[in-house]
Amino acid sequence: LIVFLLTRLYQQQRKLVLTEQRTSQELEEKVLLRTEELERAQQRLISESNFAMLGRMSGAINHEINQPLASLRLNLASLRTMIEQRNADPQEIEQIVIDSDRTTKRIGRVISSLRSLARKNDAQFVPFDVARVVDDVITTIKRERPAVSQYLVVSESSSELRVLGDEVLIQQALLNLLYNAFDAVLKVESPMVELSVELLLPQVSDGIDNKQRVIIAVSDNGAGITDAMQETLFEPFVTTRQQNDGLGLGLTIARQIASDHGGELLYSGKEKGSCFELRLPLLGVVAR
C-alpha cells in the first residue's frame, strides 16, 4: 500500500510538472506571438508617422515658399513683357532682376530655417542694425503681398539699435510673425498690423538684473488666440488657420531663431487681437 501510494504521488507530481511545463511553454509562445504583433503594429505606426511627417514637411515647405515663388513668377512675366516691347527702360529691367535675385535668396533662407528645426544653426553672428532688417522686411512684404502691405503701421526707435546675430534669420522670424498677423486680419472690418521697435531698459526683479533688450513687436487687431490654443501655440504643426494653407511652423521657427540668438519670443493677448514680442539682447545704441 505504501509503495502504491508513493507511486501515485510520484505520478501526480510528474503530471503536475509536465502540466506546468506545457502551460509555461504555451504562455511563452503567446507572449512571443503578442510581442511580434506589437512590433509589427509599432513598425506600421512608425511608418505611418514618418509618412505623415514627410507629408507635413513637404506641405510646410510648399506653403513657406509659395509666396516668394509667386513673386518670382510675376517678375519673370513682367520681364518677358518688357523684352517683347523692345523699348523697355533698362533701369526697370535691372530692378526686376534685383528683386528676382532677392526672392531666390529668400527661398533659400526659408529652406535654411526649416532645416534649423532639425539641427542647431551654425551661422556666423555679426553685429547689425535692427532698423536695416526692418526696412528689408517691409520691402519684402510690399513686393510679395502688396494687397495687405497697406495695413502695416511701422513705429521704430529714434536710436540705432544694434544686436549680434544673423540678419537673414531675424528677417525670416519677423516675416513669419507678420504673415501670421496679416492672415489674422483678413476678415476684420478695419484691419491693422503694427510693427514696432523699442528698447527695454534693465529691470531688477528677485535680485536678478536683466540685460537691455531690443523688443520687436508685431501686433494685430484680429480675432486673437483662445486660451486652449495658447498652451500649444509654439509647438510644430499647430495652427489657428481654418484653411489648409498653414502647417503651423512659422511660430516654431521664429521661437527657435530667437532662442539661438539668446532671446525669446513671447505672446500676449490684447482686448482685441494678438501681440508677439521678439526680444533680442542689445549690443549697442547709436544716436541717429
Side-chain angles (χ1 to χ4, degrees), residues 246-273:
L247 273 295
L249 281 176
L251 292 179
T252 304
I253 293 173
R255 168 167 275 194
Q256 181 164 335
I257 291 174
S259 177
D260 291 342
H261 284 74
E264 56 186 348
L265 179 62
L266 304 177
Y267 167 79
S268 60
K270 304 191 303 180
E271 183 178 353
K272 185 176 183 181

Side-chain angles (χ1 to χ4, degrees), residues 133-157:
V133 173
V134 171
D135 291 340
D136 291 341
V137 167
I138 295 173
T139 301
T140 301
I141 290 175
K142 290 182 178 179
R143 184 175 65 251
E144 294 185 357
R145 299 188 67 173
V148 297
S149 62
Q150 58 183 326
Y151 305 145
L152 181 62
V153 178
V154 182
S155 175
E156 297 186 59
S157 173

Side-chain angles (χ1 to χ4, degrees), residues 34-44:
R34 182 58 178 170
T35 301
E36 292 177 352
E37 292 178 354
L38 290 175
E39 289 179 352
R40 287 195 296 269
Q42 184 178 15
Q43 291 297 328
R44 287 196 300 269

Side-chain angles (χ1 to χ4, degrees), residues 103-170:
T103 302
T104 56
K105 290 180 179 178
R106 166 156 158 68
I107 294 174
R109 292 198 302 267
V110 169
I111 296 175
S112 298
S113 298
L114 290 171
R115 289 171 58 190
S116 68
L117 283 174
R119 63 183 183 183
K120 187 174 180 61
N121 181 39
D122 55 358
Q124 297 295 325
F125 286 179
V126 296
F128 65 87
D129 181 13
V130 175
R132 186 175 67 227
V133 173
V134 171
D135 291 340
D136 291 341
V137 167
I138 295 173
T139 301
T140 301
I141 290 175
K142 290 182 178 179
R143 184 175 65 251
E144 294 185 357
R145 299 188 67 173
V148 297
S149 62
Q150 58 183 326
Y151 305 145
L152 181 62
V153 178
V154 182
S155 175
E156 297 186 59
S157 173
S158 58
S159 301
E160 180 180 314
L161 306 178
R162 299 177 65 81
V163 300
L164 183 67
D166 189 322
E167 287 189 55
V168 294
L169 289 179
I170 298 300

